[in-house]
Each structure stands twice: as C-alpha cells, then as structure tokens.
Amino acid sequence: MSHSVESELREPLVLGEKTLHQITEDACAPLERKPNTLWWAAFFVALTCLGVGFAATAYQIATGIGTWGLNKTVGWAFDITNFVFWVGIGHAGTLISAVLFLFRQKWRTSINRSAEAMTIFAVICAAIFPLIHMGRPWLAFWTAPYPNFRGPLWVNFRSPLLWDVFAISTYFTISAVFWYIGLVPDLAAARDRAKSKIRKTIYSILSLGWNGSARVWSRYETAYMLFAGLATPLVVSVHTIVSMDFATSVIPGWHTTIFPPYFVIGAIFSGFAMVMTLLIIMRKVVNFEEYITLNHLENMAKVILVTGSIVGLAYGTEFFVAWYSGSPYEGFTFINRATGPFAWAYWIMVSCNVITPQLMWFKKLRRNVVVLFILSIFVNIGMWFERFVIVVTSLHRDYLPSSWAYYTPTLIEALTFLGTFGLFFTCFLLFCRALPMLAQGEIKGVMKTGKRKHHDSGHGHVEPRKAARVEQEKEVAHV
Amino acid sequence: MSRLACRLRILGMWLFNRRALNELRWKFGLQPLHTWNESPFKGELVDKWLGSVGGKSRLLVGVFTDEDHLLEATEAVRKAGFDIHDVYTPYAVHGMDDAMGLRRSRLTWVCFFAGLFAGAFGAFMQYYTNAIDWPINVGGKNPWELQAYVPVIFEMTVLIAGLTTMVALFARSKLFPGKKAQLIVPGITDDKFAIALNHGSANFDAERARALFARFHAERVLDLGGLS
Amino acid sequence: MNSPNIPYFKLKPGMQRLLAATAGVGLVCFVVGLFLDAHRAWGNWLLGAYYFTTLALFGTFFIAIGYLTSAGWSVSMRRVPEAMMSWLPAALVTMLVLGAGMGYLYEWVHPHDDGSHHAHLLHHKSPWLNQWFFLGRIILYFGIWIGVSQLLTRHSRRQDTDGDVTHTRSNTRTSAIFGVLFALTLSAASFDWLMSLEAAWFSTIFGIYQFAGLFQSGIAALIVLLVLLRRMGYLRDAVNENHLHNLGQWLIALSVFWAYIWFSQLLLIWYSNIPEETSYYLIRSQGDWWVLTFIVNPLLNFAIPFVVLLPRPAKRSEYILVRVAVMVLVGHWLDIWLGIMPYVSPEGPWFDFMEVGVMLGFAGAFGLVFFKALERAPLVPLRDPYLQESLHHKL
C-alpha cells in the first residue's frame, strides 16, 4: 500500500486529531444547523444583485442589444470579456478535482467539492452572455445540429463559436456528473444522520441507495479515475476553444499561436484566485479552519505563483514576437496596448497578474491569510482586465484611422455583469446549506497521511508493518 | 422437478446469481465462478430455491473501527479460504481490491469503446452535414479538412464516453434513485467498517471466522440472517 | 537497496570501448558529410546537439519538479536523471561548435541587402539575430543550466553521506528558481536554435512546442535508460513495475500534451491563412515531406503511444513500455528533423549515413558521459527522506 510507508517530512492534511466520526459531524454540521445572520445577510445581498441582473437582462432582451456600448469598430466587448472571465473561473474546480487527482495530490480533498461547485455555477454565469448576445435567445436551440425544414440547413462546424457551444455544454455536463458522482457517498452519510423525514427522503433519493459496499467502491474508484482522465483534456480543450474564438481570426492581438495554452493557464490562474477568495471566507464562516488549513492555502498560493508567472511569460513572449515578427500591425497593437487610450487597463492587468503574485515567493506572505485574500482579489480583477484588454484594445484601433473608436460600457452591461455575481453567490450560498461542502469520504481516506511516522527511515530499515503482517499470516495459517 | 427446469434454474443462476451458483458448485467440488454483486431480491429468491442452504443465518459480520485492521483481516479471511460476501467501508480504502482479491473493473473498456463510437459518430455527423448535405464555402477552404472538425469530434467523444461511464457505473452497481439503502450495520457511512462472510460456502467454519475477526481487533461480530 | 550488490554502477570496459567507437564513427560520418553536403551535415550536427541537450536538460527539469512537488515515487530513480544532466557541459561544447557552421544554417548570419521585404525583415531582427549575441546567449543558457545542475547534484550526493534534510530543502529552493529560469531560457533557446532557421517565420507557441517535445522524449529516454540498467542487473529492487507504470502514465499524458500543442499551432496557422505564417507548413507540404510531417510524425509521437499505452497492463510491462519509449525517441528525432531539414535541404527528404551516423555518434558520446557520471555516486540516493516512500511505491 502506497501510504503505508511515508516520509517523515509529510505533514497531516487535517489538523486537530479528528476521528472519523468527527469528520462526519463537521462535514454535515452546516447542513444541520440553522443559517446564521451572516448567511442571511450574504444571501440577501446576492439575491438583490441577482434581481438587478435579471431586470437588466429582461430589459436588454426586450429592447435589443443596442442597449450595449458597442460601436462599428468595437463589436465585441463587455459580454465576451465576462464570458471568458466566468469560464476561466470554472477551470480551477476541474483542475483541483481531476488534474490534482491524477497527480495524487492528497491536499485536494479538503477543497475539491466547493471548487467543483464553483465550476458549475461559473459555467452557468458564463453561458448567459452568448445567450443574450444571440439577440433572440429563444432561438438558441438553432445552434444544435438537428434535421430541419429550412432546407438542408446545418450549423457551420468550422466556426469556433459553434465549437464553443459544444465545448461549454460538454464541460457543464461532465463537470456536473463528476461533481454528483463525488457527492453520492457524502449524501449517503447525510442521509444516515438525517433526523427529519423530508430530509431523509431527499438525501435517500439523491444518494441512490449507497451502502458502502467495497465492490461498489472499487468500481466507483475506477469510474472516478476515468472521469478525471476525461475531464483533464476536457478542461484544456474548453479554454483552448474559447481562445480560438479570437486566435482563428486575422486581427493583430487576437491571432497568435500561443493563445491556446496561454488561455488555459490564465484560466487556472484566475480560477485558483477565485477558489482562494471563497475558501478564505468559507473556512472562517463555517469553521473549517482545521480542514482548509494554512498548508492548503499555501499550496494554492504556489499554484497561483506558478500560473501567474507563466501568464507573465506569455505576455513577454507575445510582446517579444510582436517586435521579432517585424509586422507593423502586430508591433502597433502591442505598443498601443501599453501606451494607448486603454493603457490604464493594460497596466492594471500587468500589475495584478504578474507583479503582485510575485509576493508569493515569500513563505511568510504565503501563510498570511489577509495578504492572500487581498492578493486573490487582485488576481480576479487582473484576469478580468486581461480579457478586456485582449478583446477591446485589439479592436478599437481598426486598420483605417477613420474607424478608430473608444468603448465605454453602458449601465445595462455593468448591471448584467453584477447580476452574474449575484447568481454565482446565490447558488454558492444555497450549495453551502444543502449539500456537504467537504468531501468527507475522500478526507477520511487521507486522514492517516502524516501520522504513520516511523523513525528509522535511513539505510537498512525494515518496515515494521510489513514484518507484522508476515507474522500475522503465519498465525493465520495456524488457526 | 424436471430436468429442463433444473437447467433453466442453473442458467438463471449463471446469469443473475453467481453466489448461489457458486454454493452449488462448492457442493460438487467445482471452482467458483466470479461472483457478481447481488440485490436483496435475489438473495431471498435463492433462499426459496435452495431451501436455506447453509442453515438459518446467511452472513457472519465482523465490525471494525480501523482501516489497517480491516485490511489485514480481509486479507487473512480470504487467505484462510472464506467466501467474502462483501466488505463495507465509509470511504474507498486503498488496497482493498487486492485484499479482497477483486478483479479490476471493466468500466475502463466501456468508457473506451463509448469514446471510440462517439468520436466516429462526431466525425460522421460533421462530414455528412458540412461536406455532403450542405457544403458551404468557408474562407475558400475545402469542405472537408479534418483539422477544422477535430474540436467537435473531441467534445463529442468526451461527452458520450463520460455519460456512458456514469450510466454503466450506476447500472452495474445497481444504484438508482429510490433504491432503499441496506446498511449492514449502522455507521457504515460514518466510521464503521464491516466484513461480511457467507455462511453458505462449503468450508465455512464460524468458530474459526470469529477467532480471526477477534485477532484483528474486531469491535464485535454479528450473525445476520436473510440480509444480503 | 537492502541487497548488498546494488549501490554502485560499473561500466564494463567492452561497453565503454563500444560507446567510444560509436562516437568516433559518428564524428567520421560528420566530417565526410561536410565534404559531400555541408548544409545537411551541419543540419544534422544541430539536430544531434539539440536533441541531446534537451535530454540532458530534461534530467534537470525532472529532478526540479520532483523536489518542487515533494514527489516520493521518483526518488529511487533520481540518480539516472542526475547522470543525464551531466551531459550539459559536453552539450555546451557541441552547441558552440555550431558557431563554425552557422553560415550554412542560418540565413541571418550573412544577410544581403537586395532591398526586398525579406532583407528588410532580417535587418529588423539583426539586434537579436546576430552571430556574437547568438553565441553569447548559448553561453548564458548553458551557464544557468550547468550551474543549477551542479548545485542539485552536489546536495543530492552530500545527502548520501550526512543524511541531512536541509539538502532537500536547499534543492527545493534551487528548483523553484530553476523553474523560472528554465521557462525563460528554453523559450529563448528554441527561438534561437530552431525557429530562426526560417528567419522570417514566427510562432509564439514555439517555445512550448519544444518544451512538450523535451518533456516527452525525456520521459521516454528515462524509461529506456532505466530498463537498460535493469537488464544489466542494476536497480532491480529500487525500480519496479509500479515506477514504470508511473512513467508510462507520464509518457501517455505527454504524448497527448505534445499532440495538443502541435495541433494548436497547425490549426491556428491553417485557419488564419496569413502568408508570413503559412510558409512554415508550405515547405513541409511539398513532396514526401507531407507524409512525414502530417502523418508519420503525429503517429509516432501521439497516436501509437496513446493507443498502445492505454491499457493498464501495457504501462506495467517492461517489454511494451520500452518499445514504445524507443519509438517516441525516434519520433522526437523525426519531429526536430522535420523542423530543420525542409529548410536546410528543401529538395529532400534525404536519409542516409549522415542522419544515422551523426545521431549514433552523439548517442555514443552521451552514453559514455552518462554511464561515467552514473559510476560516481551510489545508484540510489541512500538517505533521501522520501526514499522509503519511493521503494514502497505502489499503484
């Protein structure tokens, strides 16, 4: 067994010497107690934002997207920025649940459930923008390839926008399935503790009659591994395809071959920042500080540092190649980004995404919750501006100076964006109340990490447990 | 009972109830077949058919509180030749497959072939719609150049492979909404571990089993009747 | 490692002579090639020098990520990548030798100003693409790589004697700094050595493309070397099928990653159809280059490894794994060859004694340096704090 022998350097993943029963108690506690005032206050604010966003959305659908600040030069702006922003936020969830699983990073167990929930809510928020942008969202089903009576008229499978439809819907479906499969054993735990009849019935239906059979666990683990294996290339493909919305064009600043991996890394970066923001609040409010420890936050800070630096490298590469290519259009676009009318956005992006994350080189700061919280907010802002810079600055200087323009979002656009935050937090707050936020089934499985210390790890060491087992086998033979 | 009825019953057991068939095979000194997981429904049916093979109670259950003890006990009872009905744990215990001697799940193949089919389907769908039925000139490029169609082929593959795997997992494990969970002992989803041994198997010896459970620090040992 | 026969590797004299002879034959092939077709000879020299630089650099990178992620499983095999990176000083020499043949490979070395747009481009790039800065950068890159490798090796070997955990901590810090420098230097080096062959062409993904190749072929080389050592009777206890399984998973994952990057570049350039970018694929679509570029290359580097290694038993079988790894090494050679040759000898593809000889020569020299370095320390890092985890690694 891989965890039967462990280095002395491994530290416990969960603090406070929890017993298995305590973990069940702690994980189910938020579901079983009444919500406090803080929760109600947050829920009220989120619901208000959602309401405002709903009204703004209804208005612009009724009136038309002329309510946006777009013009003939800048034909894509706030909506697509928000779309890419939200899709990116979602990526951390899949990364934590799938990629870290394949890398056998056990610390993921404390944070994967809430990160996956975030993924699903973020993808819902993202999907709203292209839906509105269609102008007639009730005809959204036209994007599906189905036989119809409009002649043999099919969708154009060579359009990256259609790839988006397939990518986002696949991503949403697979993430939801992955999330639910992970939830089943924990729902069963909640079911077996439920006191009230309604609660018991609901959790019974959701947990599918789970009884902890090891034969089922074995299959379940295989399926989980398969889902991780499917979700990993999927998450990469999603932001790759999002990047191709831009990169398949011939617009300087949009068309560059580094876009696919650069967008994927940026998405992980922004997603981890959002996970960090939420978890720092959540561990405090729900009292999960022994599960989501400083070590977890530090690990996330390291991921943010690595991905932020790669994003910085991509900025650098783009800038260098804009000069190296010798193309006047490329050169102008990048100089214009840094010094033109949107220079303010560009420098917000650079300072939030590349400069401030470098603070994470210092262990002291990586373990300081306040610093981490502020930093994660910075990254969220920076990554929103990154998309804004890519979308708007590449467009606002057209090939003819007579088509040069500036873009300012309208109130409607801003309120719609606010509304998606409302939707996101409403969903997240409801999730905290209704479903187990800690993947207790997985946490219990890694509880022995860092606790099976053995003192002689040097040369000539004989593993005590193995020796004990050999002895036991001998005894069994005698029985 | 007629010979045909006997044969049909054995066929039925072969298809739906490996455990009962294995109990018969034990009697005739044949190697047991790979056991499938069973539903309580079948357990009862088998009782009726076989007329309580192996006495009144069907399972001897050892309850444990520690993963390491459980693993060692499982391995020990298996090596001692007991027929393990199942082991119940609150979480996926690493190394349990080996300890129980389970063979690897074939879900991988379900996923693989579903993906293969889905990829082919995705390619065909795009080929038919965009190159045969309604070829459009996009940027002066040929109607069918594979690279433009790869993204959707990939997404279709992942979507259908994923959904098929989910359905296969739930179907194979007989998990469905509305199924009533039968916990072998309370606390299985919390902090208890249990090994259930079949009374029915030929070389079952309750005393020896109890002694083994005790050796590996079983919290208690239960004799359960009729429960699957 | 409890068995008394393991700790030290000893290269058999016969093997040593064989490797030295191979290196010599390679040198002869190269010199003969210089007289027959100097362009192609230098192209092959660049190919060999670059290929083995990436393998050596992979050693450093692999060790660095091991430290950074506190990976337990890879510790027992660490001496092998450590020995791989000992090729770096020799690799520096092979790259500097290129200074003599630059004129045959890189058109920007002697730009002739005929007033064309192309000449204008070369002039525009001359602050970066000029002989002395190019050679200076080679020294800079290798200075960083060799420095870091020495530091990592020194601490790792010292730990064998004193068993001090601070060596692990110190190497972790070095690895973090290496991570940053590696990303910068590898991107720049791949732009310099390969992308600037076609001086007018550019692709921002190129550095990542080369990184994917480095990582994938490095894992393949590690598998081949480990299996070789096991066949020689070494590391039998320390590296078992669980470690091979892990490496097999890496190989399959990196095959997918390589394919992803390869495909992204192809798709975007094909889709946008901008002349200054399509030139790269245009010369590779002529004649027989087409089949090699678009069929054979993805088959060797992606499709075959992916399908063959998908079942679990294949990843655990030394027999299958080592064959796939060799195929990936050939595939990586083809990948770089296709990066160099269509430009250097567009009337090709030629494949003769020069291709085989120069590659064999480099392999012989690399092998010699590798095995000699392997002799210098115990085959297993005896007192690494993660060693026990690695020895008991199970998948």
Side-chain angles (χ1 to χ4, degrees):
Chain A
M1 266 134 276
S2 71
H3 59 199
S4 61
V5 174
E6 225 168 33
S7 167
E8 291 171 350
L9 300 185
R10 302 272 179 224
E11 285 174 31
L13 294 168
V14 174
L15 301 177
E17 298 291 321
K18 302 275 182 196
T19 63
L20 295 179
H21 181 64
Q22 268 172 308
I23 298 172
T24 320
E25 292 270 318
D26 291 346
C28 295
L31 314 180
E32 290 164 0
R33 61 174 174 241
K34 286 224 153 55
N36 54 16
T37 346
L38 198 62
W39 187 90
W40 279 114
F43 189 66
F44 177 74
V45 173
L47 215 55
T48 312
C49 292
L50 177 60
V52 170
F54 187 80
T57 308
Y59 174 75
Q60 64 198 301
I61 289 173
T63 319
I65 49 175
T67 51
W68 294 358
L70 301 178
N71 49 53
K72 263 194 272 181
T73 306
V74 185
W76 262 12
F78 224 69
D79 56 327
I80 200 85
T81 303
N82 296 338
F83 165 73
V84 182
F85 172 76
W86 278 118
V87 177
I89 296 291
H91 276 46
T94 321
L95 190 93
I96 290 167
S97 55
V99 183
L100 296 186
F101 177 77
L102 295 180
F103 283 148
R104 289 181 278 278
Q105 296 287 314
K106 291 176 182 168
W107 57 276
R108 67 180 264 291
T109 50
S110 292
I111 55 174
N112 68 342
R113 177 65 41 72
S114 29
E116 286 167 37
M118 258 184 48
T119 295
I120 292 163
F121 307 143
V123 174
I124 296 173
C125 291
I128 289 173
F129 292 97
L131 212 61
I132 303 174
H133 201 167
M134 285 176 181
R136 276 176 277 177
W138 52 91
L139 295 179
F141 64 93
W142 281 9
T143 56
Y146 63 96
N148 57 64
F149 293 105
R150 300 187 289 273
L153 186 60
W154 297 100
V155 287
N156 176 13
F157 280 111
R158 276 169 287 179
S159 161
L161 296 180
L162 191 74
W163 301 346
D164 257 343
V165 174
F166 278 79
I168 299 293
S169 45
T170 302
Y171 187 45
F172 177 76
T173 314
I174 295 295
S175 301
V177 167
F178 200 10
W179 185 55
Y180 178 62
I181 287 186
L183 265 168
V184 168
D186 296 344
L187 289 167
R191 167 199 72 200
D192 294 337
R193 293 169 48 85
K195 300 271 186 304
S196 80
K197 183 107 180 136
I198 302 172
R199 185 180 276 273
K200 191 142 199 128
T201 315
I202 292 172
Y203 287 134
S204 286
I205 293 169
L206 290 177
S207 60
L208 310 177
W210 181 270
N211 66 355
S213 152
R215 294 178 197 278
V216 177
W217 270 121
S218 164
R219 249 172 250 136
Y220 175 92
E221 287 284 282
T222 306
Y224 204 85
M225 176 71 90
L226 288 171
F227 270 100
L230 287 173
T232 302
L234 175 64
V235 71
V236 172
S237 82
V238 170
H239 234 62
T240 295
I241 288 174
V242 168
S243 83
M244 285 173 180
D245 291 349
F246 308 104
T248 50
S249 71
V250 291
I251 294 176
W254 280 12
H255 173 75
T256 175
T257 48
I258 205 175
F259 254 32
Y262 154 47
F263 263 53
V264 173
I265 284 290
I268 293 164
F269 178 54
S270 70
F272 260 85
M274 186 60 107
V275 173
M276 181 101 100
T277 314
L278 278 185
L279 289 188
I280 287 177
I281 302 172
M282 193 183 94
R283 72 197 279 273
K284 198 91 200 161
V285 174
V286 202
N287 241 334
F288 279 170
E289 279 153 317
E290 288 171 328
Y291 293 94
I292 302 165
T293 63
L294 279 182
N295 283 339
H296 289 93
L297 297 181
E298 192 185 348
N299 281 337
M300 285 195 271
K302 283 180 186 166
V303 176
I304 288 179
L305 173 62
V306 171
T307 49
S309 302
I310 299 178
V311 165
L313 178 73
Y315 294 165
T317 309
E318 275 195 301
F319 234 99
F320 174 74
V321 173
W323 167 80
Y324 177 89
S325 70
S327 155
Y329 308 106
E330 290 282 335
F332 171 78
T333 303
F334 281 87
I335 295 293
N336 182 47
R337 268 187 196 173
T339 60
F342 284 106
W344 55 275
Y346 181 81
W347 291 108
I348 289 177
M349 163 187 112
V350 171
S351 29
C352 291
N353 289 350
V354 186
I355 299 168
T356 48
Q358 302 306 322
L359 292 175
M360 295 295 95
W361 281 99
F362 305 102
K363 195 177 173 89
K364 256 216 173 80
L365 298 179
R366 282 201 303 263
R367 298 183 75 87
N368 182 326
V369 180
V370 179
V371 171
L372 286 179
F373 186 72
I374 296 170
L375 183 103
S376 68
I377 303 262
F378 267 46
V379 175
N380 285 322
I381 296 171
M383 282 308 289
W384 188 87
F385 272 100
E386 181 195 295
R387 280 67 176 251
F388 182 79
V389 164
I390 291 171
V391 175
V392 177
T393 64
S394 309
L395 288 176
H396 82 292
R397 289 294 177 257
D398 211 337
Y399 291 101
L400 291 175
S402 58
S403 311
W404 287 10
Y406 195 78
Y407 165 78
T408 329
T410 60
L411 184 64
I412 289 291
E413 284 173 285
L415 292 180
T416 314
F417 186 42
L418 181 73
T420 52
F421 272 99
L423 177 62
F424 183 77
F425 283 103
T426 307
C427 291
F428 195 81
L429 287 163
L430 287 174
F431 155 72
C432 291
R433 298 285 317 141
L435 297 169
M437 259 185 293
L438 284 182
Q440 45 163 314
E442 292 191 64
I443 292 174
K444 285 172 185 170
V446 300
M447 276 308 286
K448 297 222 168 181
T449 302
K451 291 184 184 153
R452 285 178 167 125
K453 305 256 178 193
H454 53 87
H455 299 291
D456 178 13
S457 68
H459 188 81
H461 163 74
V462 181
E463 191 215 333
R465 264 170 56 85
K466 202 170 184 181
R469 182 168 301 171
V470 172
E471 222 173 86
Q472 280 154 2
E473 275 167 16
K474 275 186 209 150
E475 282 172 32
V476 168
H478 288 301
V479 171
Chain B
M1 198 190 300
S2 77
R3 179 170 287 192
L4 182 68
C6 268
R7 290 215 171 136
L8 280 177
R9 179 184 296 172
I10 288 179
L11 180 70
M13 284 191 212
W14 190 83
L15 284 174
F16 301 111
N17 202 321
R18 286 290 170 92
R19 185 152 52 82
L21 186 64
N22 281 341
E23 283 162 3
L24 276 181
R25 291 178 74 95
W26 267 113
K27 281 189 174 169
F28 294 102
L30 294 170
Q31 281 293 310
L33 299 172
H34 169 245
T35 359
W36 294 347
N37 196 17
E38 291 170 346
S39 75
F41 166 72
K42 277 185 296 180
E44 283 160 25
L45 208 63
V46 168
D47 278 354
K48 230 190 268 171
W49 281 351
L50 294 175
S52 80
V53 171
K56 279 178 196 163
S57 51
R58 298 182 41 80
L59 295 174
L60 185 75
V61 181
V63 183
F64 297 81
T65 53
D66 184 81
E67 156 187 342
D68 291 341
H69 295 152
L70 175 85
L71 270 174
E72 283 153 9
T74 311
E75 209 165 340
V77 291
R78 182 171 63 87
K79 292 218 168 117
F82 288 100
D83 178 21
I84 301 176
H85 170 74
D86 209 340
V87 176
Y88 299 89
T89 59
Y91 55 89
V93 173
H94 195 83
M96 185 46 93
D97 293 6
D98 290 340
M100 283 173 78
L102 293 183
R103 75 180 205 189
R104 301 193 71 78
S105 161
R106 285 160 297 181
L107 278 177
T108 319
W109 292 108
V110 173
C111 182
F112 177 74
F113 286 111
L116 215 57
F117 162 77
F121 172 72
F124 171 76
M125 172 183 78
Q126 296 183 79
Y127 181 69
Y128 174 74
T129 56
N130 274 208
I132 303 289
D133 201 34
W134 190 251
I136 320 168
N137 184 338
V138 178
K141 295 181 163 84
N142 293 328
W144 182 255
E145 286 196 66
L146 188 63
Q147 56 266 39
Y149 299 95
V150 167
V152 173
I153 293 177
F154 174 79
E155 300 300 331
M156 293 291 286
T157 307
V158 170
L159 179 67
I160 294 179
L163 290 178
T164 313
T165 309
M166 178 191 74
V167 171
L169 167 72
F170 288 152
R172 184 67 188 78
S173 309
K174 301 197 183 64
L175 296 172
F176 51 89
K179 181 183 179 185
K180 192 164 158 31
Q182 289 199 319
L183 294 191
I184 192 124
V185 285
I188 279 295
T189 54
D190 183 3
D191 59 351
K192 296 280 187 279
F193 304 80
I195 303 175
L197 298 180
N198 271 330
H199 267 275
S201 60
N203 56 349
F204 185 78
D205 175 351
E207 284 317 303
R208 222 168 119 237
R210 280 173 188 277
L212 265 179
F213 282 155
R215 187 176 299 280
F216 294 104
H217 313 283
E219 189 187 42
R220 60 206 165 106
V221 180
L222 305 168
D223 231 336
L224 294 182
L227 190 91
S228 170
Chain C
M1 54 163 275
N2 290 331
S3 14
N5 60 343
I6 285 191
Y8 281 91
F9 174 80
K10 186 83 191 81
L11 183 60
K12 290 200 183 96
M15 180 94 170
Q16 186 168 343
R17 276 195 296 278
L18 181 72
L19 288 170
T22 319
V25 170
L27 197 61
V28 171
C29 285
F30 171 66
V31 174
V32 173
L34 276 183
F35 289 101
L36 294 177
D37 182 349
H39 287 276
R40 209 149 62 78
W42 279 112
N44 273 310
W45 183 273
L46 170 64
L47 171 48
Y50 179 75
Y51 188 92
F52 286 96
T53 302
T54 60
L55 291 191
L57 196 52
F58 162 80
T60 321
F61 178 70
F62 187 73
I63 292 170
I65 49 172
Y67 277 115
L68 282 177
T69 55
S70 316
W73 69 277
S74 59
V75 166
S76 63
M77 65 179 76
R78 198 175 66 220
R79 285 288 135 85
V80 177
E82 271 175 24
M84 283 168 88
M85 67 192 182
S86 66
W87 171 256
L88 280 172
L92 169 62
V93 177
T94 61
M95 286 307 297
L96 284 178
V97 167
L98 206 61
M102 277 170 80
Y104 290 100
L105 292 174
Y106 302 103
E107 57 169 327
W108 47 262
V109 175
H110 308 294
H112 42 89
D113 193 0
D114 54 4
S116 67
H117 179 63
H118 191 73
H120 171 75
L121 271 181
L122 292 192
H123 178 73
H124 173 83
K125 295 179 186 205
S126 60
W128 182 263
L129 295 182
N130 64 71
Q131 225 159 335
W132 296 113
F133 194 19
F134 180 87
L135 292 173
R137 282 198 302 270
I138 291 183
I139 294 172
L140 175 72
Y141 305 146
F142 276 96
I144 292 168
W145 298 339
I146 293 171
V148 170
S149 309
Q150 298 280 350
L151 217 57
L152 291 175
T153 315
R154 191 188 307 156
H155 281 290
S156 168
R157 288 188 184 165
R158 277 197 193 152
Q159 200 170 40
D160 281 356
T161 48
D162 61 14
D164 196 346
V165 183
T166 51
H167 291 304
T168 302
R169 304 232 159 89
S170 151
N171 270 355
T172 308
R173 267 195 301 280
T174 312
S175 302
I177 295 163
F178 174 71
V180 177
L181 296 174
F182 173 74
L184 289 170
T185 50
L186 185 72
S187 316
S190 62
F191 282 17
D192 281 0
W193 300 341
L194 297 184
M195 198 167 92
S196 79
L197 282 169
E198 285 149 79
W201 184 73
F202 56 92
S203 172
T204 41
I205 207 175
F206 200 78
I208 302 169
Y209 174 47
Q210 290 307 319
F211 164 71
L214 175 149
F215 205 167
Q216 187 197 10
S217 62
I219 291 281
L222 183 58
I223 292 171
V224 171
L225 291 172
L226 284 172
V227 171
L228 204 64
L229 285 169
R230 279 170 59 85
R231 297 258 165 101
M232 290 177 180
Y234 297 99
L235 286 175
R236 296 228 157 196
D237 301 346
V239 178
N240 57 37
E241 79 242 23
N242 291 302
H243 300 88
L244 290 180
H245 186 173
N246 230 338
L247 287 170
Q249 285 179 338
W250 272 107
L251 191 57
I252 200 170
L254 289 165
S255 298
V256 176
F257 179 63
W258 177 88
Y260 163 61
I261 300 294
W262 179 86
F263 180 74
S264 294
Q265 176 175 300
L266 169 69
L267 178 67
L268 289 179
I269 290 180
W270 170 81
Y271 206 112
S272 293
N273 217 5
I274 301 175
E276 53 221 67
E277 288 184 344
T278 47
S279 63
Y280 180 82
Y281 288 108
L282 207 59
I283 56 172
R284 283 161 183 78
S285 311
Q286 315 297 323
D288 292 339
W289 292 116
W290 188 89
V291 183
L292 293 169
T293 307
F294 297 107
I295 308 289
V296 182
N297 194 10
L299 269 181
L300 290 185
N301 282 308
F302 164 63
I304 301 178
F306 179 75
V307 173
V308 173
L309 290 184
L310 215 45
R312 179 185 153 99
K315 291 189 277 263
R316 296 178 78 82
S317 145
E318 199 180 87
Y319 181 87
I320 298 177
L321 196 58
V322 78
R323 274 158 182 75
V324 174
V326 168
M327 197 188 65
V328 168
L329 285 176
V330 174
H332 184 54
W333 175 85
L334 179 74
D335 191 31
I336 304 174
W337 189 66
L338 288 170
I340 297 172
M341 289 306 171
Y343 186 75
V344 175
S345 56
E347 66 284 358
W350 307 115
F351 182 84
D352 56 26
F353 77 96
M354 254 193 270
E355 263 74 20
V356 180
V358 175
M359 240 6 231
L360 273 183
F362 270 98
F366 178 83
L368 207 57
V369 172
F370 171 79
F371 286 122
K372 278 292 161 195
L374 206 58
E375 282 181 343
R376 255 174 259 141
L379 265 177
V380 181
L382 296 173
R383 300 221 179 141
D384 191 285
Y386 293 106
L387 181 65
Q388 284 299 322
E389 267 186 36
S390 182
L391 293 178
H392 293 90
H393 177 61
K394 191 149 188 279
L395 273 177

